[in-house]
Amino acid sequence: MRRQVPLILCFLFGIVMMLVEFSPHPISEGLRAEVIKWDLIIGPFALVIGVITLVHTHVIRVKRRVEHWQYSYLVFFGMIVMVAFGLPTGPKNEVFEWLFDNVQVPMEATMFSLLAFFIASASYRAFRARTLEATLLLVAALIVMIGNAPIGDVLWNELSPVGDNIPSTARQWILDNPNLSSRRGIILGVSLGVISQSIRIIFGIERSYLGGGD
Amino acid sequence: MLEKLMSIDRRIVFVLVAVAVIIPTLLKVSFPITVSQPTRSVYDFIDELPKDSTILMAFNYGPSSLAELEPMAAAVLRHCFRKNVRVIGMTLFNVGARLGDRVMSETAAEMGAVDGEDYVFLGFRPGGISVILGMGTAIDSVFDADYRGKPLSEIPMMQDVRNYDRIALVLDLASSATPEAWIVYANTKYKQQVAAGVTGVMVSELYPYIQSRQLVGLMPGLLGAAEYETLIDTPEKATAGMSVQSFVHLLIFVLVVVGNVAFFIQRRRTQ
Amino acid sequence: MEVLGIWVAAFFTLCIYSFLYRDNPFYRFAEHLFVGLSVGYGIVFSIHQGLIPFAWDPFWEAITKREFMGLLKLIPIFIGLLFFARVVPKYSWLIRYPIAILIGIGAGRAIPNVMDARIFRQVYGTLTPFGQIHAGALGFFEIFGAILMLVGVICTLTYFFFSIEHRGAVGGISKVGIIFLMVGFGSAFGNTVMGRVSLLIQRVDFLLSDWLRLI
């Protein structure tokens, strides 16, 4: 009941979904549409787990008075404010949108923009041509960087007597050729892995998604 | 001296980066943009569409990649509205809902496009791949109303659009793996033409799909947005941004070279 | 309201940038508030654009219209509700039912579509140019590109093939694979720099233009 039924459900839904993909018959198309609907209905409930886990984590932080526990109240405050304005009327609420535009968006955008500083610092400290492989990586990165920057073509066209727009052309060649080959190799390898893992899941060989316990 | 150079406080590098952004921004430096083929392919595809064709734009990004993808969205929308190509907007990310709605309504207001006739924003539905597959069967089985709650049956431009059959192109503006989901499930299953505009981080990994013609074209981050602005002859934020970007790239280039020169001199000395 | 919005956005932008100096209360304040707002935003959207159209509306329709077929929609809704079993430790194992269904659906549809889109079509893309070479449709550089692509794909795949020890010829081929991979990763790094710097440029533009009005 606790493990066998989920394994059977996984097998049934997996097999049905796989078979209907191959068959253009109206009955199988209908079945496929129905399974997709089930997925769409069940899926949103999964988001509950995320919220429960986050709230639980911060409740524990407050209870145990871990370092900076006071800030957990801010998490609850932010959450309650958004829900209070958004839930009754829906996401087209003016205050809800204002909070998103002027608080959430700037903070998230700025948080990720910090990476520009860290990537520059890391490039200076750690990007070393120690080996042939590292040198290739470094050279490719520099060519793509300069090829991406409009100033690369401008400087080349001004200073070099040979060819036009060579930096952006070289960048494009790298992306179109060696990059494409290596990425395709990765795609093929990963896809074979996805397929074998999917088969293992459907046939109940891979069961880690059931978690621990009986 | 060399050791000092090798171990400078990282905050000095931070200041250099800040200066490399602030000064060119204040000076409004501008460089011409060279357009790459993958971006041109997206532009050409949309440009050659007959009047009153419909494309679907998926705003699959959040605030963390807004800087790269919003200028791209605005440029493509301007092009579509100018060419009388209708646009259906939607998103598979909840954060994309407000961002997609905002950029569509602002660009439409600027271009005089009418909600429900020239464009419609359907909003967000959770489910990812199932949303993509469900829309292939019937759009109204996934989105029964637009973002403002108006039923699809009451929206003029949706009257003859039931599924992907009448959608000429899906353009995925993405900050994660959604272009691959559109390729695997919309292109493979429904023969839907797919193009993508993605963040710089993702550009390299999508090149195999251009060569295999599973992607019509690909716009690479802010550069892609600037290229599209160049193609529609409307330079905006992305073009200005790429000019500023040049100085930071040059700075990082110099930092890497200096770091390596110092590293090799030091290594030779120790040997 | 718009001016207030700009000042609020500028304040939080500076709070986050203060982290560049070091971790501090302003950063922690903004960070935690951001987490809370994001979760609140997610809850509103999950309910209004997920649960209501997919679960509540069909449920209400089935109840009010009393249609047998409509009532069938109650089954997935009931299965979805089993996610709430997570909060009751004694019955938390019930959560495996919806997870198993979602995973089964995902795995089942991945097999044929991934095989087609990411294996057959990619292999086809690799080999198509050779048909064109045979037809005499490609120039020198295109032929070189096609051969380079085939060599790159084979060598990269060999590098990931761990069933054979990487010695001798296999070792040599996988080393060539590493070269292709390194150039690929290098190009990804170059593009990543562009992506990260773009985010910074947008924030600086906001501060200088919208907030300080210097531009």
Side-chain angles (χ1 to χ4, degrees):
Chain A
M1 188 73 178
R2 295 186 175 197
R3 296 185 76 89
Q4 294 308 315
V5 175
L7 286 173
I8 293 166
L9 283 172
C10 182
F11 173 78
L12 284 176
F13 276 86
I15 287 288
V16 166
M17 208 54 197
M18 188 167 64
L19 294 179
V20 295
E21 287 292 321
F22 288 113
S23 166
H25 192 278
I27 292 177
S28 78
E29 283 290 313
L31 190 59
R32 184 173 157 275
E34 198 53 41
V35 176
I36 289 170
K37 269 185 201 158
W38 276 48
D39 190 36
L40 287 169
I41 294 170
I42 299 170
F45 287 98
L47 301 164
V48 172
I49 298 179
V51 176
I52 292 172
T53 309
L54 185 101
V55 170
H56 182 71
T57 308
H58 283 277
V59 168
I60 298 287
R61 276 171 59 99
V62 172
K63 268 187 184 169
R64 293 186 185 161
R65 297 285 192 268
V66 296
E67 199 187 4
H68 305 315
W69 60 274
Q70 298 89 339
Y71 292 98
S72 289
Y73 284 117
L74 275 171
V75 175
F76 300 132
F77 173 74
M79 196 163 74
I80 291 165
V81 166
M82 285 304 253
V83 170
F85 285 108
L87 204 55
T89 56
K92 283 304 291 174
N93 176 281
E94 258 183 47
V95 180
F96 181 81
E97 287 188 339
W98 189 91
L99 285 168
F100 179 75
D101 289 348
N102 298 301
V103 185
Q104 193 177 331
V105 170
M107 281 199 281
E108 189 176 334
T110 311
M111 221 171 262
F112 278 81
S113 78
L114 289 175
L115 295 169
F117 295 100
F118 296 127
I119 210 167
S121 171
S123 301
Y124 177 65
R125 289 157 176 275
F127 218 4
R128 300 278 186 262
R130 289 172 207 271
T131 60
L132 171 70
E133 290 86 355
T135 310
L136 283 167
L137 193 142
L138 191 147
V139 170
L142 291 181
I143 292 173
V144 170
M145 266 170 52
I146 291 301
N148 279 341
I151 201 171
D153 280 350
V154 172
L155 286 176
W156 182 276
N157 295 346
E158 283 290 322
L159 303 173
S160 166
V162 195
D164 274 350
N165 301 335
I166 296 296
S168 60
T169 310
R171 159 199 173 270
Q172 199 58 45
W173 186 86
I174 286 178
L175 288 169
D176 281 335
N177 291 283
N179 167 67
L180 187 154
S181 307
S182 64
R183 293 289 165 179
R184 182 162 283 167
I186 293 170
I187 288 172
L188 289 170
V190 169
S191 304
L192 289 168
V194 167
I195 290 167
S196 70
Q197 190 70 352
S198 298
I199 293 170
R200 285 167 58 87
I201 286 171
I202 290 172
F203 287 101
I205 302 164
E206 170 61 53
R207 302 173 178 199
S208 55
Y209 66 90
L210 294 176
D214 49 311
Chain B
M1 170 67 188
L2 204 64
E3 277 186 4
K4 262 190 181 174
L5 193 68
M6 293 276 282
S7 58
I8 56 168
D9 192 316
R10 63 181 185 160
R11 281 170 286 202
I12 293 174
V13 178
F14 294 170
V15 171
L16 290 174
V17 172
V19 169
V21 175
I22 293 169
I23 291 180
T25 305
L26 286 171
L27 296 177
K28 293 186 182 175
V29 182
S30 180
F31 298 118
I33 305 286
T34 310
V35 179
S36 66
Q37 188 52 48
T39 303
R40 189 178 289 281
S41 300
V42 181
Y43 170 84
D44 287 345
F45 190 94
I46 294 174
D47 204 58
E48 286 161 15
L49 287 175
K51 190 172 170 265
D52 295 332
S53 300
T54 305
I55 71 162
L56 186 141
M57 278 173 79
F59 298 89
N60 292 328
Y61 59 87
S64 60
S65 39
L66 177 83
E68 294 179 87
L69 298 173
E70 193 166 81
M72 201 183 278
V76 176
L77 284 168
R78 281 192 191 100
H79 187 206
C80 289
F81 293 147
R82 215 178 271 173
K83 294 280 302 175
N84 288 317
V85 170
R86 295 166 180 167
V87 185
I88 300 170
M90 52 81 67
T91 176
L92 301 170
F93 288 5
N94 58 26
V95 275
R98 169 66 185 147
L99 301 178
D101 180 46
R102 197 172 67 185
V103 71
M104 277 194 108
S105 48
E106 282 176 5
T107 315
E110 172 198 319
M111 303 293 291
V114 181
D115 188 9
E117 290 177 20
D118 302 309
Y119 78 98
V120 63
F121 186 65
L122 302 179
F124 158 75
R125 288 289 182 270
I129 292 166
S130 283
V131 173
I132 295 173
L133 287 170
M135 287 172 72
T137 313
I139 293 175
D140 61 5
S141 71
V142 184
F143 292 96
D144 52 348
D146 75 355
Y147 188 53
R148 286 167 176 73
K150 194 174 186 182
L152 288 204
S153 54
E154 294 173 20
I155 296 170
M157 66 170 278
M158 293 305 289
Q159 296 311 306
D160 57 346
V161 183
R162 300 268 173 238
N163 49 35
Y164 293 132
D165 288 350
R166 292 288 181 92
I167 293 175
L169 178 75
V170 167
L171 174 63
D172 187 21
L173 301 174
S175 61
S176 71
T178 50
E180 288 191 313
W182 287 105
I183 290 167
V184 173
Y185 295 99
N187 176 262
T188 309
K189 182 79 191 161
Y190 298 102
K191 311 293 170 222
Q192 173 62 53
Q193 297 276 21
V194 178
V198 298
T199 56
V201 180
M202 296 166 56
V203 174
S204 305
E205 62 200 63
L206 290 172
Y207 264 75
Y209 298 109
I210 305 175
Q211 190 272 340
S212 62
R213 298 181 193 276
Q214 290 166 285
L215 271 182
V216 167
L218 177 70
M219 294 182 282
L222 194 68
L223 176 62
E227 289 175 345
Y228 213 95
E229 286 178 358
T230 305
L231 285 165
I232 60 167
D233 203 18
T234 313
E236 286 278 339
K237 292 257 178 196
T239 310
M242 278 314 293
S243 300
V244 175
Q245 179 107 229
S246 295
F247 293 94
V248 188
H249 282 209
L250 278 183
L251 172 70
I252 295 177
F253 189 99
V254 171
L255 286 174
V256 171
V257 171
V258 169
N260 274 281
V261 169
F263 167 72
F264 280 112
I265 293 173
Q266 200 182 40
R267 192 161 79 169
R268 187 168 288 178
R269 278 184 194 168
T270 51
Q271 277 173 355
Chain C
M1 214 49 184
E2 196 189 330
V3 176
L4 177 69
I6 289 171
W7 276 83
V8 168
F11 169 72
F12 284 112
T13 301
L14 295 175
C15 280
I16 301 283
Y17 277 144
S18 69
F19 183 76
L20 288 169
Y21 182 66
R22 66 172 178 217
D23 193 14
N24 64 77
F26 285 103
Y27 175 77
R28 284 196 292 274
F29 168 74
E31 183 195 24
H32 285 77
L33 186 62
F34 162 68
V35 172
L37 291 173
S38 306
V39 175
Y41 179 92
I43 292 171
V44 170
F45 270 87
S46 300
I47 292 174
H48 272 276
Q49 306 234 299
L51 290 173
I52 290 178
F54 289 145
W56 177 255
D57 288 348
F59 168 74
W60 191 243
E61 206 176 321
I63 296 290
T64 51
K65 289 187 179 171
R66 294 182 186 187
E67 287 173 355
F68 173 69
M69 289 308 284
L71 289 172
L72 281 179
K73 285 177 184 166
L74 296 182
I75 301 171
I77 295 172
F78 173 73
I79 295 169
L81 285 170
L82 293 178
F83 274 112
F84 287 98
R86 168 84 163 76
V87 294
V88 189
K90 195 180 169 189
Y91 297 106
S92 63
W93 56 272
L94 280 169
I95 202 175
R96 290 174 184 158
Y97 284 41
I99 290 176
I101 291 174
L102 293 181
I103 292 215
I105 292 172
R109 70 184 168 203
I111 294 169
N113 289 307
V114 168
M115 202 182 281
D116 191 353
R118 296 178 45 141
I119 296 181
F120 296 153
R121 295 283 297 272
Q122 288 298 307
V123 171
Y124 181 76
T126 311
L127 299 177
T128 309
F130 291 92
Q132 293 169 308
I133 293 171
H134 186 69
L138 297 186
F140 173 76
F141 284 109
E142 280 109 345
I143 294 172
F144 174 70
I147 295 168
L148 189 71
M149 181 166 63
L150 182 66
V151 170
V153 171
I154 291 171
C155 295
T156 308
L157 276 173
T158 309
Y159 173 72
F160 287 114
F161 192 63
F162 299 118
S163 301
I164 302 175
E165 207 176 336
H166 287 195
R167 283 195 308 189
V170 177
I173 294 170
S174 80
K175 275 209 174 112
V176 179
I178 295 175
I179 289 173
F180 276 91
L181 280 167
M182 286 302 139
V183 177
F185 291 146
S187 72
F189 183 85
N191 282 322
T192 301
V193 169
M194 178 176 74
R196 299 309 183 211
V197 174
S198 304
L199 310 181
L200 173 62
I201 290 168
Q202 192 254 353
R203 294 320 295 156
V204 169
D205 182 63
F206 164 75
L207 290 173
L208 297 180
S209 170
D210 297 345
W211 183 46
L212 296 174
R213 298 185 182 278
L214 292 174
I215 310 170

